[in-house]
Amino acid sequence: NAGVTQTPKFQVLKTGQSMTLQCAQDMNHEYMSWYRQDPGMGLRLIHYSVGAGITDQGEVPNGYNVSRSTTEDFPLRLLSAAPSQTSVYFCASQGGWSSYEQYFGPGTRLTVT
Amino acid sequence: AQSVAQPEDQVNVAEGNPLTVKCTYSVSGNPYLFWYVQYPNRGLQFLLKYITGDNLVKGSYGFEAEFNKSQTSFHLKKPSALVSDSALYFCAVRRAGNNRKLIWGLGTSLAVNP
């Protein structure tokens, strides 16, 4: 049981490039989410999904797209990278309504130059 | 609007001494409250939660937290700090019955000195 996995661990992009951050979980969790973590700003929710085929925006969705074609995978796409997207990105998952704990992946450190 | 405040950016404590990391919240209705810990270069790990029932909840690694409804607080405590407790601690809240989105505090960096 690997839990929540994220790839890559580190990435450097040039302004304007696009890329996809991968996230997968093997716990059959319905709920998955993407956060970014910036110094002094805590965790901010980018997008989330309550099940396959269902996604919604969080508090900072601009510049990011998501899709949820399977229960296991929840990729985050940066459409045209900007220096303001330099951050550490975390994926998290959570089980059903009676499950309260969120499980986090190890994070992806992204630098946009 | 829902919010979580962690009034201290950093807490310093000597090893063996009790520690407290403070959290206050603002949410309509009954809150679900959580503490998570983040060690350097790692993802967040769940420590403990308050959903209902006893106001004092116990969690991982000897941590506990007390829910105080009148003061809208959920302070994290440990009777005897360890150097290995040094990490970033996050308080989070969600409204009971709402979706699973959490509102996060900005985090408190705990440094336990030997």
Side-chain angles (χ1 to χ4, degrees):
Chain A
N1 197 338
V4 180
T5 58
Q6 290 184 238
T7 56
K9 286 187 170 17
F10 302 94
Q11 182 71 50
V12 179
L13 290 178
K14 294 187 187 305
T15 297
Q17 287 184 318
S18 62
M19 78 160 294
T20 299
L21 279 63
Q22 301 292 345
C23 173
Q25 53 89 10
D26 60 359
M27 298 173 282
N28 200 33
H29 284 171
E30 299 173 346
Y31 182 85
M32 296 185 74
S33 55
W34 276 102
Y35 295 95
R36 59 178 289 174
Q37 184 179 29
D38 302 290
M41 303 193 76
L43 286 168
R44 291 183 291 170
L45 183 65
I46 304 172
H47 285 285
Y48 65 98
S49 169
V50 298
I54 306 169
T55 64
D56 206 347
Q57 295 180 351
E59 57 183 301
V60 287
N62 292 341
Y64 308 94
N65 272 358
V66 292
S67 59
R68 185 96 179 268
S69 56
T70 67
T71 299
E72 294 77 20
D73 300 298
F74 191 44
L76 178 72
R77 297 182 187 84
L78 278 70
L79 308 173
S80 177
S84 61
Q85 294 179 303
T86 293
S87 187
V88 181
Y89 291 84
F90 290 101
C91 179
S93 73
Q94 185 178 336
W97 282 105
S98 61
S99 168
Y100 303 101
E101 177 181 349
Q102 289 200 8
Y103 294 80
F104 283 78
T108 295
R109 185 173 294 274
L110 175 69
T111 302
V112 183
T113 61
Chain B
Q2 300 178 91
S3 64
V4 175
Q6 294 181 242
E8 300 154 319
D9 291 336
Q10 180 150 347
V11 170
N12 295 293
V13 64
E15 187 174 30
N17 282 2
L19 70 87
T20 299
V21 182
K22 295 179 180 177
C23 173
T24 59
Y25 66 90
S26 173
V27 67
S28 57
N30 293 322
Y32 294 165
L33 295 153
F34 305 86
W35 278 101
Y36 284 78
V37 60
Q38 184 181 29
Y39 298 102
N41 301 311
R42 303 281 296 275
L44 278 72
Q45 297 177 33
F46 171 79
L47 269 182
L48 51 78
K49 66 181 183 287
Y50 171 82
I51 304 300
T52 188
D54 194 348
N55 290 342
L56 184 65
V57 293
K58 296 186 184 298
S60 306
Y61 312 122
F63 284 93
E64 58 188 29
E66 186 164 13
F67 170 60
N68 187 318
K69 188 171 184 177
S70 63
Q71 296 187 3
T72 61
S73 68
F74 189 55
H75 300 331
L76 181 70
K77 300 182 180 185
K78 187 173 182 181
S80 178
L82 300 172
V83 172
S84 57
D85 292 330
S86 299
L88 190 56
Y89 290 81
F90 288 95
C91 181
V93 65
R94 75 175 232 230
R95 198 167 66 196
N98 204 345
N99 61 43
R100 281 163 278 194
K101 286 194 289 184
L102 291 174
I103 305 300
W104 294 86
L106 297 185
T108 297
S109 179
L110 173 67
V112 181
N113 307 307

